[in-house]
Amino acid sequence: MRDLTPALAWELATGGPWPEPEALSGDERFMALALRQGLQGVGLSSPNPPVGCVLVRDDRVIGQGAHTRAGDPHGEIMALRDAEGRGEDPRGATAYITLEPCCHHGRTPPCTEALLRAGIARVVVGVRDPNPRVDGGGLAILRAQGCAVAEGVLGEACARFHAPFFKLIRTGLPWVTLKLALGSDGSLGAPGQRVEVTPPPVQALAHALRRASEAILVGRGTIEADDPRLTDRWPGPVPAHRTFWRVVLDGQGRLGGHHAIWQPVEGQPPIRALALDAAPLRGVEDLHLPPGPGGCSLRHLLHELAAKGVGRLLVEGGGTVIAAFLREGLADEFHRFQSSHPTGGIPLSLALPSAWSLRAEAAFEGGTWQVFR
């Protein structure tokens, strides 16, 4: 088991750990480099996928790039621009791309056209794009124009990396990540008492999960017990276009306006999910939803968040809300911070889907970070 580091924390938050390029050769090595490029766009490119691209000629990288903002150039274009900036000619090069290149006119022109115009001789793709406007069409166009195409290189890793985008395309719902810190006894701690399950350095690394998401959600009980701000405090710089929604399930509108969550934070607006009418709170957006678990219909809430461009939602608690997402079949992965010490409370009963398994884990002093998916 690897020790928890900032680099590993970011990998775990983005669906990894990811293949190490240095441990691979040939096409797999360069696709692993393309995956590393794509990591730059996680939490930034939604609702578009954070595609990574690397251009190679004679076993040498001549350009690389990632898609980091919807409406901006895709990873392929960024890699071509990088090659131009280096004074490299991409003609005859191989492009390694984590996701099939787009072949339609959207907010940007088709990447297939740009690759062909640049003289790319071979395209290696990790996984096909399930978007009905692409779905094999990009590869067909490249082949028809005489470009050599290979697909499925590091296919499992690329599919796992782009799973949030695939879910959004297929269901219209964001990827839902659950996160809890539990004692060795499976408890959050004694009722009414705040227990520090993980040490501050680990709490800081857990913020990678927030940076990888476009929104965070908790229930009313968490606000009443801890009065958190729920802000994104990952140490890396935040691009100006990033929006991180802070969402609270407060079906009956019982929370007052004095809580820290409602205070304005640039680029991190608060949202209150309501099932009943309630007096408005200054600077807080209200989403009026049908009743359901936690006071509001969680499925309706997910659709509303997706409409705001949220492709990844982090649910941080409490236990009742986490259990509701599991019970409704709306969760995609679970990050459990398990202390080696008991917290003295009542063990939570969290029934993970039978198809899930332990995907990854990392060790820190006093516990483990485990990822189930």
Side-chain angles (χ1 to χ4, degrees):
M1 187 190 307
R2 294 167 60 184
D3 289 336
L4 185 59
T5 63
L8 181 55
W10 182 241
E11 289 194 48
L12 295 178
T14 55
W18 303 113
E20 294 286 349
E22 297 78 11
L24 302 171
S25 61
D27 286 347
E28 289 190 340
R29 172 176 170 241
F30 294 116
M31 186 59 73
L33 288 173
L35 268 171
R36 299 281 164 171
Q37 282 295 305
L39 291 176
Q40 299 178 54
V42 177
L44 300 174
S45 65
S46 188
N48 290 353
V51 176
C53 177
V54 169
L55 306 180
V56 176
R57 187 174 53 233
D58 299 327
D59 282 336
R60 184 172 61 88
V61 174
I62 63 170
Q64 52 192 357
H67 183 50
T68 59
R69 182 180 184 177
D72 281 1
H74 293 181
E76 298 93 320
I77 308 305
M78 298 303 291
L80 290 169
R81 289 183 179 180
D82 183 46
E84 181 181 5
R86 300 184 189 199
E88 298 281 2
D89 186 349
R91 284 178 295 180
T94 296
Y96 293 86
I97 313 168
T98 58
L99 184 69
E100 177 183 7
C102 65
C103 54
H104 61 281
H105 285 269
R107 296 171 69 178
T108 60
C111 289
T112 49
E113 288 185 5
L115 292 168
L116 292 168
R117 192 167 52 247
I120 295 296
R122 180 171 180 253
V123 172
V124 180
V125 169
V127 65
R128 288 197 181 196
D129 186 345
N131 186 337
R133 301 180 72 184
V134 185
D135 198 15
L139 301 181
I141 288 172
L142 293 170
R143 288 189 174 107
Q145 295 299 315
C147 184
V149 172
E151 57 179 305
V153 175
L154 292 187
E156 185 277 332
C158 290
R160 182 159 32 94
F161 179 62
H162 289 300
F165 170 68
F166 292 173
K167 181 187 178 185
L168 190 63
I169 284 291
R170 289 167 173 156
T171 70
L173 300 175
W175 184 264
V176 176
T177 297
L178 311 179
K179 178 234 170 183
L180 274 181
L182 302 169
S184 60
D185 52 4
S187 166
L188 292 169
Q193 296 182 16
R194 183 170 182 174
V195 179
E196 190 174 88
V197 177
T198 54
V202 176
Q203 294 172 23
L205 293 180
H207 273 270
L209 287 165
R210 297 187 183 184
R211 178 56 60 88
S213 307
E214 288 87 30
I216 186 173
L217 180 144
V218 300
R220 173 173 57 85
T222 295
I223 300 299
E224 292 175 333
D226 300 334
D227 198 28
R229 296 175 71 223
L230 299 180
T231 51
D232 169 11
R233 299 194 295 277
W234 185 247
V238 182
H241 73 271
R242 171 169 162 81
T243 299
F244 182 65
W245 302 93
R246 298 177 292 149
V247 186
V248 178
L249 283 174
D250 186 20
Q252 297 181 335
R254 293 178 178 176
L255 292 173
H258 64 283
H259 289 286
I261 181 66
W262 310 133
Q263 302 310 306
V265 178
E266 186 175 359
Q268 303 184 51
I271 290 178
R272 182 174 57 165
L274 296 167
L276 301 176
D277 290 333
L281 298 175
R282 182 188 297 269
V284 178
E285 179 180 351
D286 287 337
L287 290 180
H288 295 276
L289 307 167
C296 301
S297 168
L298 299 180
R299 185 174 293 275
H300 280 80
L301 174 59
L302 292 180
H303 278 293
E304 291 286 347
L305 293 176
K308 291 180 173 294
V310 174
R312 293 174 181 252
L313 170 68
L314 174 63
V315 181
E316 280 204 1
T320 301
V321 173
I322 296 284
F325 272 92
L326 289 170
R327 189 168 56 251
E328 294 288 305
L330 296 173
D332 298 288
E333 65 182 13
F334 177 46
H335 290 249
R336 181 175 68 189
F337 292 77
Q338 187 85 51
S339 172
S340 57
H341 305 287
T343 55
I346 300 173
L348 291 182
S349 178
L350 298 175
L352 301 183
S354 58
W356 284 13
S357 61
L358 179 63
R359 257 234 35 96
E361 60 183 333
F364 56 85
E365 186 174 355
T368 56
W369 177 346
Q370 299 175 314
V371 185
F372 298 86
R373 187 172 177 174

